């Protein structure tokens, strides 16, 4: 009977970790992706843009809250560590694609969006490679600034024409911040690349 009881207890603990508050906040950020994308299918409708911005802003707040809750209330889990960066990347990438499609991002600023998307793919691959070697790369302060700059930039660009009616220059501010985040993206991506190259040379 003891093994059965132990298995039942372990299963209950796994379920409780999967549905703790920190992970629920991360799930909410994942759910925000299709919601924001769906609203951005009507880019000319100012109400759709404001609604998309509201959901995006709430998702950005949960990015801070889930980490705070996990640390403060000891709710850190392997599932949370895996999903947290995925949720961030999906939200930013999906929004960038929609903003390019509706021509809020255009011209030379397309390169900033391309740099951000390519970096995320590169870093995801490097993380997978380094994880196999059991090498961890801690998140730097600059990487946190990069994430903040991306969230704020995309927020201004989601507001777009609707934001211009309240704050003239909204799109320009978003575009400048997008380039700032692209530069920070290159810098932080190089850190990951150096670490990956170092361990690849050691393996070779």
């Amino acid at each position: 009977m003891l093994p059965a009881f132990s298995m039942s207890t372990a299963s209950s603990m796994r379920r409780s970790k999967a549905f703790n508050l920190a992970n629920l906040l991360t799930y909410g950020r994942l759910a925000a992706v299709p919601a924001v994308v769906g609203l951005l299918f009507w880019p000319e409708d100012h109400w759709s843009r404001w609604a998309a911005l509201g959901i995006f802003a709430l998702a950005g707040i949960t990015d801070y809250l889930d980490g705070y809750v996990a640390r403060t209330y000891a709710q850190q889990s392997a599932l949370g560590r895996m999903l947290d960066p995925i949720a961030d990347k999906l939200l930013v990438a999906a929004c960038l694609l929609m903003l390019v499609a509706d021509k809020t991002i255009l011209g030379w600023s397309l390169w900033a969006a391309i740099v951000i998307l390519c970096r995320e793919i590169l870093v995801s691959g490097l993380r997978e490679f380094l994880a196999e070697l059991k090498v961890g790369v801690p998140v730097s302060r600059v990487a946190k600034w990069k994430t903040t700059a991306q969230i704020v930039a995309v927020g201004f660009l989601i507001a777009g024409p609707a934001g211009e009616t309240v704050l003239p220059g909204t799109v320009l501010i978003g575009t400048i911040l997008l380039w700032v985040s692209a530069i920070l993206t290159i810098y932080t991506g190089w850190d990951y690349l150096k670490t990956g190259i170092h361990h690849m040379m050691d393996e070779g």
Side-chain angles (χ1 to χ4, degrees):
M1 292 298 292
L2 184 59
F5 175 78
S6 299
M7 289 176 62
S8 176
T9 302
S11 178
S12 297
M13 289 178 65
R14 283 195 295 270
R15 283 198 297 271
S16 66
K17 284 185 178 181
F19 293 100
N20 61 32
L21 180 56
N23 285 342
L24 287 174
L25 290 169
T26 302
Y27 301 153
R29 199 153 71 258
L30 287 169
V33 176
V36 174
V37 167
L39 288 165
L40 289 178
F41 268 102
W42 292 275
E44 303 303 323
D45 184 348
H46 286 194
W47 285 110
S48 290
R49 282 196 174 264
W50 286 123
L53 177 60
I55 295 171
F56 181 81
L58 285 173
I61 292 170
T62 66
D63 184 29
Y64 166 77
L65 284 179
D66 62 7
Y68 173 79
V69 169
R71 291 189 300 271
T72 304
Y73 299 102
Q75 293 185 359
Q76 293 170 322
S77 65
L79 180 63
R81 286 192 295 271
M82 179 191 73
L83 288 180
D84 185 57
I86 290 174
D88 296 339
K89 289 173 175 54
L90 286 177
L91 186 61
V92 170
C95 288
L96 286 176
L97 289 173
M98 295 304 294
L99 292 166
V100 168
D102 71 18
K103 294 183 171 53
T104 301
I105 299 174
L106 73 169
W108 286 101
S109 295
L110 288 171
W111 283 106
I114 289 168
V115 164
I116 291 169
L117 292 174
C118 288
R119 183 268 188 191
E120 300 304 351
I121 294 169
L122 171 67
V123 168
S124 295
L126 285 171
R127 274 180 172 161
E128 185 176 344
F129 167 72
L130 293 172
E132 291 178 359
L133 301 178
K134 294 183 170 51
V135 176
V137 181
V139 178
S140 66
R141 186 179 296 274
V142 178
K144 292 178 181 178
W145 292 345
K146 179 268 301 179
T147 300
T148 301
Q150 280 184 6
I151 295 293
V152 176
V154 172
F156 271 95
L157 293 171
I158 287 174
E164 293 286 350
T165 63
V166 177
L167 177 65
T170 292
V171 175
L172 177 60
I173 294 170
T175 301
I176 292 170
L177 288 172
L178 188 69
W179 277 105
V180 170
S181 63
I183 292 167
L184 293 175
T185 288
I186 292 171
Y187 179 84
T188 56
W190 176 241
D191 279 346
Y192 277 100
L193 187 59
K194 281 193 301 184
T195 303
I197 290 172
H198 171 74
H199 286 284
M200 278 189 280
M201 296 295 289
D202 288 347
E203 286 292 298

